Short mmCIF file of all heavy atoms in Angstrom, two decimals:
data_model
loop_
_atom_site.label_atom_id
_atom_site.label_comp_id
_atom_site.label_asym_id
_atom_site.label_seq_id
_atom_site.Cartn_x
_atom_site.Cartn_y
_atom_site.Cartn_z
N MET A 171 166.92 29.21 132.61
CA MET A 171 166.85 29.18 133.94
C MET A 171 166.67 27.76 134.46
O MET A 171 165.68 27.04 134.22
CB MET A 171 165.74 30.08 134.50
CG MET A 171 165.71 30.28 135.94
SD MET A 171 164.94 31.84 136.04
CE MET A 171 163.95 32.03 137.26
N ALA A 172 167.53 27.30 135.38
CA ALA A 172 167.41 25.94 135.83
C ALA A 172 166.36 25.84 136.96
O ALA A 172 166.07 26.65 137.70
CB ALA A 172 168.80 25.56 136.43
N ARG A 173 165.68 24.66 136.86
CA ARG A 173 164.60 24.43 137.86
C ARG A 173 165.13 23.71 139.14
O ARG A 173 165.96 22.82 138.98
CB ARG A 173 163.57 23.57 137.12
CG ARG A 173 162.22 23.97 137.39
CD ARG A 173 161.19 23.12 136.53
NE ARG A 173 160.05 23.03 137.29
CZ ARG A 173 159.02 22.27 137.04
NH1 ARG A 173 159.13 21.44 136.02
NH2 ARG A 173 157.94 22.29 137.81
N LYS A 174 164.75 24.23 140.25
CA LYS A 174 165.14 23.52 141.47
C LYS A 174 164.53 22.21 141.60
O LYS A 174 163.36 22.02 141.32
CB LYS A 174 164.62 24.38 142.65
CG LYS A 174 165.38 25.68 142.90
CD LYS A 174 164.63 26.51 143.85
CE LYS A 174 165.36 26.52 145.18
NZ LYS A 174 164.74 27.36 146.23
N PRO A 175 165.15 21.16 142.02
CA PRO A 175 164.66 19.78 142.23
C PRO A 175 163.60 19.86 143.35
O PRO A 175 163.72 20.55 144.30
CB PRO A 175 165.80 18.97 142.50
CG PRO A 175 166.96 19.82 143.12
CD PRO A 175 166.66 21.23 142.35
N ALA A 176 162.56 19.09 143.12
CA ALA A 176 161.41 19.09 144.12
C ALA A 176 161.99 18.32 145.43
O ALA A 176 162.92 17.44 145.31
CB ALA A 176 160.38 18.20 143.54
N LEU A 177 161.41 18.79 146.56
CA LEU A 177 161.82 18.16 147.82
C LEU A 177 161.17 16.81 147.99
O LEU A 177 160.08 16.74 147.51
CB LEU A 177 161.47 19.12 148.99
CG LEU A 177 162.19 20.46 149.08
CD1 LEU A 177 161.59 21.31 150.18
CD2 LEU A 177 163.66 20.20 149.27
N PRO A 178 161.69 15.91 148.54
CA PRO A 178 161.08 14.64 148.82
C PRO A 178 159.76 14.80 149.69
O PRO A 178 159.80 15.64 150.64
CB PRO A 178 162.09 13.73 149.42
CG PRO A 178 163.09 14.57 150.05
CD PRO A 178 163.05 15.84 149.14
N ARG A 179 158.70 13.92 149.41
CA ARG A 179 157.59 14.15 150.13
C ARG A 179 157.78 13.29 151.47
O ARG A 179 158.39 12.30 151.49
CB ARG A 179 156.36 13.40 149.41
CG ARG A 179 155.94 14.23 148.31
CD ARG A 179 154.75 13.76 147.70
NE ARG A 179 154.23 12.46 148.21
CZ ARG A 179 153.54 11.61 147.59
NH1 ARG A 179 153.09 11.88 146.29
NH2 ARG A 179 153.00 10.51 148.07
N LEU A 180 157.30 13.90 152.62
CA LEU A 180 157.31 13.20 153.86
C LEU A 180 156.25 12.07 153.93
O LEU A 180 155.21 12.23 153.27
CB LEU A 180 157.01 14.18 155.12
CG LEU A 180 157.97 15.40 155.12
CD1 LEU A 180 157.59 16.33 156.25
CD2 LEU A 180 159.45 14.75 155.51
N ALA A 181 156.52 11.04 154.49
CA ALA A 181 155.67 9.83 154.69
C ALA A 181 154.55 10.23 155.55
O ALA A 181 154.62 11.06 156.44
CB ALA A 181 156.45 8.68 155.28
N ARG A 182 153.24 9.91 155.20
CA ARG A 182 152.08 10.20 155.93
C ARG A 182 151.60 8.84 156.46
O ARG A 182 151.44 7.89 155.63
CB ARG A 182 151.15 10.85 155.06
CG ARG A 182 151.43 12.28 154.65
CD ARG A 182 150.44 12.90 153.76
NE ARG A 182 149.10 12.89 154.54
CZ ARG A 182 147.99 13.11 153.95
NH1 ARG A 182 147.92 13.28 152.59
NH2 ARG A 182 146.87 13.15 154.54
N PHE A 183 151.37 8.78 157.72
CA PHE A 183 150.90 7.54 158.33
C PHE A 183 149.58 7.73 159.02
O PHE A 183 149.17 8.78 159.40
CB PHE A 183 151.83 7.04 159.47
CG PHE A 183 153.17 6.72 158.91
CD1 PHE A 183 154.25 7.57 159.12
CD2 PHE A 183 153.37 5.60 158.04
CE1 PHE A 183 155.56 7.32 158.55
CE2 PHE A 183 154.71 5.27 157.53
CZ PHE A 183 155.74 6.18 157.83
N SER A 184 148.65 6.79 158.74
CA SER A 184 147.34 6.69 159.55
C SER A 184 147.09 5.32 159.76
O SER A 184 147.70 4.35 159.26
CB SER A 184 146.31 7.27 158.43
OG SER A 184 146.00 6.35 157.47
N PRO A 185 146.03 5.02 160.65
CA PRO A 185 145.77 3.57 161.01
C PRO A 185 145.40 2.92 159.64
O PRO A 185 145.77 1.70 159.51
CB PRO A 185 144.55 3.81 161.91
CG PRO A 185 144.84 5.13 162.53
CD PRO A 185 145.41 6.01 161.43
N THR A 186 144.63 3.46 158.78
CA THR A 186 144.24 2.84 157.51
C THR A 186 145.49 2.40 156.76
O THR A 186 145.59 1.28 156.22
CB THR A 186 143.29 3.70 156.75
OG1 THR A 186 142.21 4.07 157.53
CG2 THR A 186 142.81 3.09 155.49
N ARG A 187 146.40 3.32 156.55
CA ARG A 187 147.60 2.96 155.74
C ARG A 187 148.34 1.92 156.39
O ARG A 187 148.88 1.01 155.75
CB ARG A 187 148.45 4.27 155.61
CG ARG A 187 148.01 5.13 154.61
CD ARG A 187 148.77 6.48 154.51
NE ARG A 187 148.41 7.35 153.64
CZ ARG A 187 149.04 7.85 152.58
NH1 ARG A 187 150.26 7.65 152.41
NH2 ARG A 187 148.50 8.73 151.71
N LEU A 188 148.61 1.91 157.71
CA LEU A 188 149.31 0.97 158.49
C LEU A 188 148.72 -0.41 158.38
O LEU A 188 149.30 -1.42 158.18
CB LEU A 188 149.52 1.39 159.99
CG LEU A 188 150.43 2.64 160.04
CD1 LEU A 188 150.45 3.11 161.55
CD2 LEU A 188 151.80 2.43 159.54
N ASN A 189 147.33 -0.47 158.50
CA ASN A 189 146.67 -1.64 158.47
C ASN A 189 146.73 -2.38 157.06
O ASN A 189 146.94 -3.57 156.81
CB ASN A 189 145.22 -1.50 158.82
CG ASN A 189 145.04 -1.45 160.33
OD1 ASN A 189 145.83 -1.99 161.08
ND2 ASN A 189 143.95 -0.81 160.79
N LEU A 190 146.64 -1.49 156.06
CA LEU A 190 146.83 -1.95 154.68
C LEU A 190 148.31 -2.57 154.44
O LEU A 190 148.42 -3.65 153.85
CB LEU A 190 146.51 -0.97 153.56
CG LEU A 190 146.69 -1.23 152.13
CD1 LEU A 190 145.67 -2.53 151.79
CD2 LEU A 190 146.40 -0.20 151.24
N TYR A 191 149.22 -1.84 154.89
CA TYR A 191 150.53 -2.41 154.81
C TYR A 191 150.79 -3.63 155.53
O TYR A 191 151.35 -4.55 155.03
CB TYR A 191 151.71 -1.26 155.39
CG TYR A 191 152.93 -1.80 155.09
CD1 TYR A 191 153.60 -1.55 153.83
CD2 TYR A 191 153.73 -2.33 156.11
CE1 TYR A 191 154.96 -1.99 153.52
CE2 TYR A 191 155.03 -2.73 155.85
CZ TYR A 191 155.60 -2.65 154.67
OH TYR A 191 156.97 -2.94 154.34
N ARG A 192 150.26 -3.76 156.67
CA ARG A 192 150.40 -5.14 157.51
C ARG A 192 149.60 -6.14 156.78
O ARG A 192 150.07 -7.24 156.80
CB ARG A 192 149.78 -4.85 158.92
CG ARG A 192 150.75 -4.02 159.78
CD ARG A 192 150.25 -3.83 161.16
NE ARG A 192 149.87 -5.21 161.68
CZ ARG A 192 148.95 -5.36 162.60
NH1 ARG A 192 148.29 -4.42 163.08
NH2 ARG A 192 148.72 -6.50 163.20
N PHE A 193 148.50 -5.79 156.14
CA PHE A 193 147.70 -6.80 155.35
C PHE A 193 148.45 -7.24 154.10
O PHE A 193 148.59 -8.60 154.00
CB PHE A 193 146.23 -6.25 154.99
CG PHE A 193 145.48 -7.07 154.09
CD1 PHE A 193 145.03 -8.25 154.59
CD2 PHE A 193 145.24 -6.75 152.85
CE1 PHE A 193 144.31 -9.07 153.80
CE2 PHE A 193 144.53 -7.59 152.01
CZ PHE A 193 144.03 -8.67 152.49
N CYS A 194 148.94 -6.31 153.39
CA CYS A 194 149.61 -6.64 152.03
C CYS A 194 150.53 -5.50 151.65
O CYS A 194 150.03 -4.50 151.20
CB CYS A 194 148.63 -6.95 151.07
SG CYS A 194 149.34 -7.36 149.44
N PRO A 195 151.81 -5.60 151.91
CA PRO A 195 152.70 -4.54 151.47
C PRO A 195 152.57 -4.15 149.92
O PRO A 195 152.90 -2.96 149.60
CB PRO A 195 154.14 -5.11 151.73
CG PRO A 195 153.90 -6.06 152.85
CD PRO A 195 152.54 -6.61 152.61
N ARG A 196 152.40 -5.16 149.20
CA ARG A 196 152.26 -4.87 147.67
C ARG A 196 151.01 -4.07 147.39
O ARG A 196 150.98 -3.21 146.58
CB ARG A 196 152.14 -6.13 146.89
CG ARG A 196 152.09 -5.86 145.53
CD ARG A 196 152.38 -7.19 144.56
NE ARG A 196 153.74 -7.30 144.61
CZ ARG A 196 154.44 -8.05 143.74
NH1 ARG A 196 153.78 -8.73 142.89
NH2 ARG A 196 155.79 -8.09 143.74
N ALA A 197 149.82 -4.35 148.09
CA ALA A 197 148.69 -3.57 147.92
C ALA A 197 148.81 -2.12 148.37
O ALA A 197 148.50 -1.17 147.66
CB ALA A 197 147.42 -4.15 148.67
N TYR A 198 149.70 -2.04 149.43
CA TYR A 198 149.98 -0.55 150.02
C TYR A 198 150.78 0.13 148.87
O TYR A 198 150.49 1.35 148.55
CB TYR A 198 150.76 -0.69 151.26
CG TYR A 198 151.23 0.59 151.76
CD1 TYR A 198 150.47 1.39 152.66
CD2 TYR A 198 152.48 1.25 151.24
CE1 TYR A 198 150.92 2.60 153.08
CE2 TYR A 198 152.89 2.48 151.80
CZ TYR A 198 152.12 3.15 152.65
OH TYR A 198 152.52 4.36 153.13
N ALA A 199 151.81 -0.42 148.33
CA ALA A 199 152.65 0.12 147.27
C ALA A 199 151.75 0.55 146.02
O ALA A 199 151.91 1.58 145.53
CB ALA A 199 153.70 -0.90 146.89
N PHE A 200 150.85 -0.50 145.57
CA PHE A 200 149.98 0.01 144.55
C PHE A 200 149.08 1.10 144.71
O PHE A 200 149.09 2.02 143.96
CB PHE A 200 149.09 -1.32 144.10
CG PHE A 200 149.82 -2.38 143.43
CD1 PHE A 200 149.38 -3.65 143.63
CD2 PHE A 200 150.80 -2.13 142.41
CE1 PHE A 200 150.02 -4.74 142.92
CE2 PHE A 200 151.44 -3.15 141.72
CZ PHE A 200 151.08 -4.41 142.07
N GLN A 201 148.57 1.21 145.96
CA GLN A 201 147.63 2.22 146.22
C GLN A 201 148.33 3.61 146.59
O GLN A 201 147.87 4.57 146.04
CB GLN A 201 146.68 1.90 147.42
CG GLN A 201 145.67 2.97 147.78
CD GLN A 201 144.48 2.37 148.48
OE1 GLN A 201 144.29 1.17 148.74
NE2 GLN A 201 143.81 3.24 149.11
N TYR A 202 149.35 3.59 147.33
CA TYR A 202 149.91 4.84 147.82
C TYR A 202 151.13 5.21 147.06
O TYR A 202 151.48 6.48 146.96
CB TYR A 202 150.26 4.78 149.29
CG TYR A 202 148.92 4.68 150.10
CD1 TYR A 202 148.60 3.52 150.77
CD2 TYR A 202 148.08 5.81 150.21
CE1 TYR A 202 147.39 3.45 151.42
CE2 TYR A 202 146.87 5.66 150.88
CZ TYR A 202 146.57 4.52 151.62
OH TYR A 202 145.41 4.53 152.34
N ASP A 203 152.01 4.36 146.60
CA ASP A 203 153.14 4.81 145.83
C ASP A 203 152.86 4.93 144.33
O ASP A 203 153.31 5.92 143.70
CB ASP A 203 154.28 3.63 145.94
CG ASP A 203 154.71 3.61 147.43
OD1 ASP A 203 154.59 4.53 148.20
OD2 ASP A 203 155.28 2.54 147.79
N GLN A 204 152.02 4.13 143.81
CA GLN A 204 151.69 4.16 142.36
C GLN A 204 150.28 4.82 142.11
O GLN A 204 150.01 5.04 140.87
CB GLN A 204 151.71 2.74 141.77
CG GLN A 204 153.10 2.19 141.81
CD GLN A 204 153.14 0.79 141.31
OE1 GLN A 204 152.25 0.30 140.63
NE2 GLN A 204 154.14 -0.03 141.55
N GLY A 205 149.57 5.11 143.06
CA GLY A 205 148.23 5.69 142.87
C GLY A 205 147.12 4.87 142.35
O GLY A 205 146.10 5.39 141.88
N LEU A 206 147.34 3.59 142.36
CA LEU A 206 146.31 2.63 141.86
C LEU A 206 145.26 2.30 143.00
O LEU A 206 145.77 2.03 144.11
CB LEU A 206 146.90 1.46 141.27
CG LEU A 206 147.89 1.58 140.13
CD1 LEU A 206 148.64 0.24 139.79
CD2 LEU A 206 147.28 2.20 138.97
N ARG A 207 144.01 2.30 142.64
CA ARG A 207 143.01 2.01 143.74
C ARG A 207 142.62 0.48 143.57
O ARG A 207 142.44 0.05 142.35
CB ARG A 207 141.86 2.97 143.66
CG ARG A 207 142.25 4.37 143.72
CD ARG A 207 142.74 4.69 145.05
NE ARG A 207 141.50 4.99 145.89
CZ ARG A 207 141.71 5.43 147.20
NH1 ARG A 207 142.80 5.57 147.63
NH2 ARG A 207 140.70 5.71 147.88
N TRP A 208 142.36 -0.20 144.60
CA TRP A 208 141.80 -1.51 144.50
C TRP A 208 140.66 -1.58 145.55
O TRP A 208 140.77 -0.93 146.63
CB TRP A 208 142.89 -2.58 144.68
CG TRP A 208 143.37 -2.60 146.09
CD1 TRP A 208 144.31 -1.77 146.61
CD2 TRP A 208 143.05 -3.52 147.21
NE1 TRP A 208 144.64 -2.08 147.95
CE2 TRP A 208 143.98 -3.23 148.24
CE3 TRP A 208 142.24 -4.57 147.28
CZ2 TRP A 208 143.90 -3.90 149.51
CZ3 TRP A 208 142.26 -5.30 148.38
CH2 TRP A 208 142.95 -4.97 149.51
N GLY A 209 139.69 -2.25 145.17
CA GLY A 209 138.57 -2.33 146.03
C GLY A 209 137.76 -1.02 146.09
O GLY A 209 138.16 -0.02 145.68
N GLY A 210 136.63 -0.95 146.64
CA GLY A 210 135.73 0.19 146.87
C GLY A 210 135.52 0.53 148.22
O GLY A 210 135.91 -0.22 149.14
N GLN A 211 134.93 1.64 148.53
CA GLN A 211 134.65 2.05 149.83
C GLN A 211 133.40 1.55 150.28
O GLN A 211 132.37 1.40 149.36
CB GLN A 211 134.57 3.57 149.95
CG GLN A 211 135.79 4.35 150.04
CD GLN A 211 135.69 5.78 150.24
OE1 GLN A 211 134.63 6.41 149.92
NE2 GLN A 211 136.64 6.39 150.86
N SER A 212 133.25 1.16 151.52
CA SER A 212 131.95 0.77 152.05
C SER A 212 131.12 1.98 152.30
O SER A 212 131.65 3.13 152.26
CB SER A 212 132.20 -0.03 153.29
OG SER A 212 132.61 0.85 154.43
N ALA A 213 129.81 1.71 152.59
CA ALA A 213 128.93 2.77 152.80
C ALA A 213 129.38 3.59 154.08
O ALA A 213 129.38 4.79 154.14
CB ALA A 213 127.55 2.35 152.98
N ALA A 214 129.91 2.81 155.10
CA ALA A 214 130.29 3.47 156.34
C ALA A 214 131.54 4.31 156.10
O ALA A 214 131.57 5.43 156.60
CB ALA A 214 130.63 2.34 157.38
N GLN A 215 132.51 3.84 155.29
CA GLN A 215 133.70 4.77 154.97
C GLN A 215 133.33 5.94 154.16
O GLN A 215 133.85 7.07 154.51
CB GLN A 215 134.63 3.92 154.18
CG GLN A 215 135.27 2.84 154.93
CD GLN A 215 136.09 1.78 154.12
OE1 GLN A 215 135.74 1.59 152.89
NE2 GLN A 215 137.22 1.40 154.62
N SER A 216 132.34 5.89 153.23
CA SER A 216 131.89 6.90 152.53
C SER A 216 131.27 8.03 153.30
O SER A 216 131.53 9.08 153.26
CB SER A 216 130.94 6.48 151.36
OG SER A 216 130.49 7.66 150.61
N LEU A 217 130.33 7.48 154.21
CA LEU A 217 129.59 8.31 155.16
C LEU A 217 130.66 9.14 156.06
O LEU A 217 130.55 10.24 156.33
CB LEU A 217 128.57 7.65 156.07
CG LEU A 217 127.89 8.65 156.99
CD1 LEU A 217 127.14 9.60 156.37
CD2 LEU A 217 126.98 7.53 157.94
N GLY A 218 131.54 8.24 156.68
CA GLY A 218 132.61 8.81 157.52
C GLY A 218 133.44 9.95 156.87
O GLY A 218 133.72 10.99 157.50
N GLY A 219 133.88 9.72 155.76
CA GLY A 219 134.54 10.71 154.98
C GLY A 219 133.75 11.86 154.70
O GLY A 219 134.35 13.05 154.94
N SER A 220 132.59 11.80 154.28
CA SER A 220 131.76 12.98 154.04
C SER A 220 131.53 13.81 155.34
O SER A 220 131.60 14.94 155.38
CB SER A 220 130.38 12.59 153.59
OG SER A 220 130.52 12.01 152.30
N LEU A 221 131.34 12.94 156.43
CA LEU A 221 131.19 13.72 157.68
C LEU A 221 132.46 14.43 158.19
O LEU A 221 132.32 15.64 158.51
CB LEU A 221 130.78 12.65 158.81
CG LEU A 221 130.55 13.28 160.17
CD1 LEU A 221 129.37 14.23 160.14
CD2 LEU A 221 130.26 12.14 161.08
N HIS A 222 133.58 13.84 157.99
CA HIS A 222 134.85 14.53 158.36
C HIS A 222 135.01 15.81 157.42
O HIS A 222 135.35 16.92 158.08
CB HIS A 222 136.05 13.63 158.12
CG HIS A 222 136.13 12.61 159.34
ND1 HIS A 222 136.98 12.99 160.39
CD2 HIS A 222 135.58 11.48 159.61
CE1 HIS A 222 136.93 12.07 161.26
NE2 HIS A 222 136.21 11.10 160.81
N ARG A 223 134.75 15.78 156.21
CA ARG A 223 134.97 17.01 155.32
C ARG A 223 133.98 18.05 155.76
O ARG A 223 134.28 19.21 155.74
CB ARG A 223 134.81 16.42 153.85
CG ARG A 223 136.04 15.81 153.30
CD ARG A 223 135.89 15.53 151.73
NE ARG A 223 134.78 14.66 151.38
CZ ARG A 223 134.64 13.30 151.49
NH1 ARG A 223 135.78 12.74 151.95
NH2 ARG A 223 133.68 12.71 151.10
N THR A 224 132.70 17.72 156.03
CA THR A 224 131.67 18.56 156.36
C THR A 224 132.02 19.27 157.63
O THR A 224 131.99 20.51 157.75
CB THR A 224 130.21 17.91 156.58
OG1 THR A 224 129.88 17.26 155.36
CG2 THR A 224 129.22 18.93 156.95
N LEU A 225 132.53 18.56 158.75
CA LEU A 225 132.96 19.09 159.95
C LEU A 225 134.15 20.07 159.78
O LEU A 225 134.16 21.15 160.42
CB LEU A 225 133.17 18.15 161.02
CG LEU A 225 131.94 17.42 161.51
CD1 LEU A 225 132.30 16.17 162.36
CD2 LEU A 225 131.01 18.27 162.36
N GLN A 226 135.16 19.68 158.89
CA GLN A 226 136.26 20.38 158.68
C GLN A 226 135.83 21.83 158.12
O GLN A 226 136.33 22.85 158.47
CB GLN A 226 137.20 19.73 157.68
CG GLN A 226 138.57 20.53 157.38
CD GLN A 226 139.30 20.63 158.73
OE1 GLN A 226 139.55 19.68 159.44
NE2 GLN A 226 139.84 21.79 158.98
N THR A 227 134.93 21.71 157.04
CA THR A 227 134.45 23.03 156.48
C THR A 227 133.65 23.88 157.46
O THR A 227 133.94 25.00 157.53
CB THR A 227 133.57 22.62 155.29
OG1 THR A 227 134.25 21.87 154.35
CG2 THR A 227 133.03 23.86 154.50
N PHE A 228 132.87 23.26 158.25
CA PHE A 228 132.19 23.91 159.31
C PHE A 228 133.10 24.78 160.25
O PHE A 228 132.93 25.83 160.59
CB PHE A 228 131.25 23.03 160.08
CG PHE A 228 130.57 23.48 161.30
CD1 PHE A 228 129.42 24.26 161.12
CD2 PHE A 228 130.94 23.35 162.54
CE1 PHE A 228 128.75 24.87 162.20
CE2 PHE A 228 130.23 23.74 163.67
CZ PHE A 228 129.17 24.50 163.50
N HIS A 229 134.05 24.02 160.80
CA HIS A 229 135.08 24.56 161.72
C HIS A 229 135.95 25.65 161.09
O HIS A 229 136.31 26.67 161.55
CB HIS A 229 135.81 23.57 162.35
CG HIS A 229 134.92 22.89 163.45
ND1 HIS A 229 134.49 23.49 164.62
CD2 HIS A 229 134.39 21.60 163.44
CE1 HIS A 229 133.84 22.62 165.35
NE2 HIS A 229 133.76 21.45 164.56
N ASP A 230 136.27 25.40 159.72
CA ASP A 230 137.11 26.50 159.00
C ASP A 230 136.40 27.67 158.74
O ASP A 230 136.97 28.65 158.63
CB ASP A 230 137.49 25.84 157.61
CG ASP A 230 138.53 24.79 157.74
OD1 ASP A 230 139.27 24.60 158.79
OD2 ASP A 230 138.76 24.09 156.80
N ARG A 231 135.12 27.64 158.80
CA ARG A 231 134.23 28.83 158.55
C ARG A 231 133.79 29.47 159.80
O ARG A 231 133.03 30.33 159.82
CB ARG A 231 133.00 28.44 157.65
CG ARG A 231 133.39 28.10 156.29
CD ARG A 231 132.26 27.89 155.51
NE ARG A 231 132.61 27.50 154.09
CZ ARG A 231 131.80 27.17 153.19
NH1 ARG A 231 130.44 27.15 153.36
NH2 ARG A 231 132.35 26.78 151.90
N GLY A 232 134.29 29.03 160.99
CA GLY A 232 134.02 29.74 162.21
C GLY A 232 133.21 28.98 163.21
O GLY A 232 132.95 29.55 164.38
N GLY A 233 132.65 27.84 162.97
CA GLY A 233 132.14 26.91 163.80
C GLY A 233 130.77 27.44 164.14
O GLY A 233 130.04 28.16 163.48
N ALA A 234 130.30 27.17 165.41
CA ALA A 234 128.93 27.51 165.81
C ALA A 234 128.71 28.99 166.00
O ALA A 234 127.54 29.53 165.84
CB ALA A 234 128.60 26.78 167.18
N GLU A 235 129.83 29.68 166.32
CA GLU A 235 129.61 31.32 166.49
C GLU A 235 129.29 31.93 165.32
O GLU A 235 128.70 32.82 165.27
CB GLU A 235 130.92 31.82 167.03
CG GLU A 235 131.32 31.30 168.44
CD GLU A 235 131.93 29.87 168.47
OE1 GLU A 235 132.62 29.49 167.56
OE2 GLU A 235 131.83 29.24 169.58
N ALA A 236 129.66 31.33 164.07
CA ALA A 236 129.42 32.02 162.75
C ALA A 236 128.07 31.60 162.24
O ALA A 236 127.56 32.28 161.30
CB ALA A 236 130.51 31.63 161.72
N VAL A 237 127.45 30.59 162.67
CA VAL A 237 126.09 30.11 162.34
C VAL A 237 124.99 30.91 162.76
O VAL A 237 124.91 31.28 164.00
CB VAL A 237 125.91 28.57 162.51
CG1 VAL A 237 124.48 28.24 162.01
CG2 VAL A 237 126.95 27.74 161.94
N SER A 238 124.16 31.50 161.90
CA SER A 238 122.98 32.25 162.39
C SER A 238 121.87 31.48 162.95
O SER A 238 121.74 30.31 162.50
CB SER A 238 122.59 33.20 161.30
OG SER A 238 122.08 32.50 160.09
#
């Protein structure tokens, strides 16, 4: 049975991705096209990501109405 070819992925844009591309197109390609990471996250970026994930989970579970 023949396998269907995968559909091409749509481009995802964010301010962070656009700034990295403007800073260095090669670094953008390494990070987003090839999956290689360079540099580390700052404490503020780590905290911000954690906060966003926590709020997303909170709202996915019903928000303030679901909290006892």
Side-chain angles (χ1 to χ4, degrees):
M171 187 154 139
R173 226 175 147 185
K174 288 169 106 179
L177 295 175
R179 288 184 358 200
L180 296 176
R182 294 178 56 194
F183 297 106
S184 70
T186 302
R187 285 179 180 232
L188 294 173
N189 282 334
L190 179 58
Y191 184 81
R192 287 179 56 208
F193 172 70
C194 180
R196 181 166 281 196
Y198 178 91
F200 284 145
Q201 184 159 347
Y202 294 109
D203 295 338
Q204 299 178 12
L206 302 174
R207 302 293 273 184
W208 66 284
Q211 282 190 327
S212 70
Q215 290 170 324
S216 180
L217 176 64
S220 296
L221 181 60
H222 279 270
R223 284 187 299 278
T224 301
L225 288 171
Q226 183 67 47
T227 301
F228 174 74
H229 288 288
D230 287 345
R231 292 183 180 176
E235 293 81 25
V237 177
S238 59

